[in-house]
Amino acid sequence: MKDATILVFGASGSVGGELVRLLRERKLPVRATTGKQAHEKDGVEYRHVNLVTGEGVSEAFAGVDKAFILSPAGYADQHAVLSPLIREARRRKLSKVVQLSAFGVEANETTPMGRAELELSRSGLAYNALRPNWFMQNFQTFWAHGIRERGKISLPAGDAKVSFIDTRDIAAVAAKLLTTTEFDNRAFTLTGPEAIDHARAAELISEATGRKVSYEDIRPEEFRSGLLAAGVPADYTEFLVTIMGYLKAGYSAVVTEEVNRILGRAPASFAAYAREHRKAWL
C-alpha cells in the first residue's frame, strides 16, 4: 500500500525544514508549503500558500492524509492563521494533524494560540499539540547579530533559567507523532534536558567559539524599542515583550521528560548545540 502524503506548513523554518528532511529520510511522500513560487526540490512538491489571505490553502490540502501546521513568527493572532487550516483539515477528514503550539498555552485557553489548540482538540480529528519552550536556534537567528557584532546577548530576562530546546528535537517529535497512533490526542510540553540562564548560555557560546560573549540584562522598554526599530510589527512586539516577561518571572524553567518519552532518547543539550553551530557566531 502506498504511503499517504504528509503536508508540512512552515517548511522554510527551522522546525518545518528539519521535519521535511526527516520524513524524506524515511522515504515518505511529503508536500510542503512556501510563500514563494511553487516548485519541486529533492522530491518534495512545494505549493504556494498565503496564510494571511488563505490563497492556496485548499489546494495544498488536496490529496494529503496528514498535516503539520503552525503559525509563522510575526503573527500575534495565531488563531486567525491556524483556524482556516484546522477547518480545511476537518473538511478533508485527515487522519492526523500535528500542531506546533506554544509553551504554557494551557494556562489560558482564551489566548489566540490557546483558542487554536482548543479548536483542534475539539475537531474530531486525531491530533497532537506540541508546546515547545524557547528555541536554542534563536541564538543563531534573532540574537545572532548582537553576539557577532558586540559579543552581547541583550535581553530583559534577568537571571531566570530556561529549558531551551533544539528545534531538531521538536521536528523529530513531530515526525514520530505523524507516523504513529501511539500518542494520539495529547498535548506535549517539550523542553531541553536542563534549565540554564542566559549568562550560562553566553558562557557555553564563548566556550564553543573561543570568543568572549556575555549576557546583558536590559529593560523591557529597550527590548521593545529595538524590536520596533528592526521593523517588527507593533502587535507582535507586544506579544514578544509579554512572553519575555513570563520568562523573566521563571515560568520557562520547567524541565519535562516528553522528548525522551516519545523518542526514547534525551534531547540535545545547549552545550552540544553551541559546539555544533559555533560558526553562526563567528
Side-chain angles (χ1 to χ4, degrees), residues 93 116 130 134 139 174 192 243:
K93 297 181 173 60
L130 306 183
W134 290 78
F139 288 87
I243 61 173

Side-chain angles (χ1 to χ4, degrees), residues 176 259-266:
K176 178 66 178 286
V259 172
N260 204 329
R261 184 175 304 152
I262 296 167
L263 299 180
R265 63 163 177 81

Side-chain angles (χ1 to χ4, degrees), residues 53-75:
T53 66
E55 177 189 358
V57 167
S58 179
E59 292 82 356
F61 274 95
V64 304
D65 183 57
K66 302 174 182 178
F68 172 78
I69 64 174
L70 54 71
S71 175
Y75 297 96

Side-chain angles (χ1 to χ4, degrees), residues 117-161:
E117 190 178 307
L118 192 61
E119 181 176 349
L120 178 60
S121 69
R122 293 175 174 175
S123 68
L125 299 169
Y127 81 95
N128 288 112
L130 306 183
R131 302 166 177 166
N133 209 344
W134 290 78
F135 298 171
M136 293 180 186
Q137 277 71 8
N138 288 347
F139 288 87
Q140 70 190 77
T141 53
F142 300 117
W143 322 140
H145 180 76
I147 296 172
R148 286 195 300 264
E149 298 301 316
R150 301 186 297 110
K152 293 278 189 182
I153 300 169
S154 301
L155 294 169
D159 59 359
K161 292 186 176 182

Side-chain angles (χ1 to χ4, degrees), residues 1-7 29 31 60-68 89 92-98 125-126 178-179:
M1 182 178 176
K2 184 179 178 181
D3 289 312
T5 299
I6 300 173
L7 175 63
R31 178 183 297 163
F61 274 95
V64 304
D65 183 57
K66 302 174 182 178
F68 172 78
R92 300 276 183 178
K93 297 181 173 60
L94 267 58
S95 68
K96 184 70 171 285
V97 174
V98 174
L125 299 169
L178 284 164
T179 53

Side-chain angles (χ1 to χ4, degrees), residues 57-272:
V57 167
S58 179
E59 292 82 356
F61 274 95
V64 304
D65 183 57
K66 302 174 182 178
F68 172 78
I69 64 174
L70 54 71
S71 175
Y75 297 96
D77 189 353
Q78 299 96 345
H79 182 256
V81 175
L82 290 166
S83 184
L85 307 185
I86 296 167
R87 293 197 303 269
E88 187 64 24
R90 186 177 183 183
R91 187 175 78 85
R92 300 276 183 178
K93 297 181 173 60
L94 267 58
S95 68
K96 184 70 171 285
V97 174
V98 174
Q99 176 194 332
L100 187 64
S101 187
F103 187 83
V105 71
E106 69 278 10
N108 186 354
E109 293 179 340
T110 67
T111 63
M113 189 66 85
R115 289 168 58 208
E117 190 178 307
L118 192 61
E119 181 176 349
L120 178 60
S121 69
R122 293 175 174 175
S123 68
L125 299 169
Y127 81 95
N128 288 112
L130 306 183
R131 302 166 177 166
N133 209 344
W134 290 78
F135 298 171
M136 293 180 186
Q137 277 71 8
N138 288 347
F139 288 87
Q140 70 190 77
T141 53
F142 300 117
W143 322 140
H145 180 76
I147 296 172
R148 286 195 300 264
E149 298 301 316
R150 301 186 297 110
K152 293 278 189 182
I153 300 169
S154 301
L155 294 169
D159 59 359
K161 292 186 176 182
V162 184
S163 53
F164 298 105
I165 184 167
D166 193 312
T167 55
R168 293 170 297 182
D169 286 327
I170 303 170
V173 167
K176 178 66 178 286
L177 296 177
L178 284 164
T179 53
T180 182
T181 59
E182 180 182 356
F183 302 98
D184 279 5
N185 305 324
R186 295 171 59 187
F188 296 99
T189 296
L190 306 180
T191 75
E194 61 182 344
I196 62 173
D197 60 23
H198 283 79
R200 180 56 180 158
E203 289 176 357
L204 291 170
I205 292 174
S206 296
E207 292 172 11
T209 59
R211 57 171 300 201
K212 176 62 176 175
V213 177
S214 60
Y215 165 62
E216 176 185 33
D217 184 28
I218 62 174
R219 294 179 296 109
E221 293 76 16
E222 291 180 72
F223 184 55
R224 178 185 288 108
S225 61
L227 292 171
L228 292 172
V232 178
D235 60 347
Y236 194 66
T237 290
E238 292 309 312
F239 167 73
L240 292 175
V241 171
T242 297
I243 61 173
M244 186 62 72
Y246 292 143
L247 183 159
K248 186 173 184 176
Y251 292 108
S252 298
V254 63
V255 176
T256 72
E257 294 295 323
E258 304 290 45
V259 172
N260 204 329
R261 184 175 304 152
I262 296 167
L263 299 180
R265 63 163 177 81
S269 69
F270 195 95

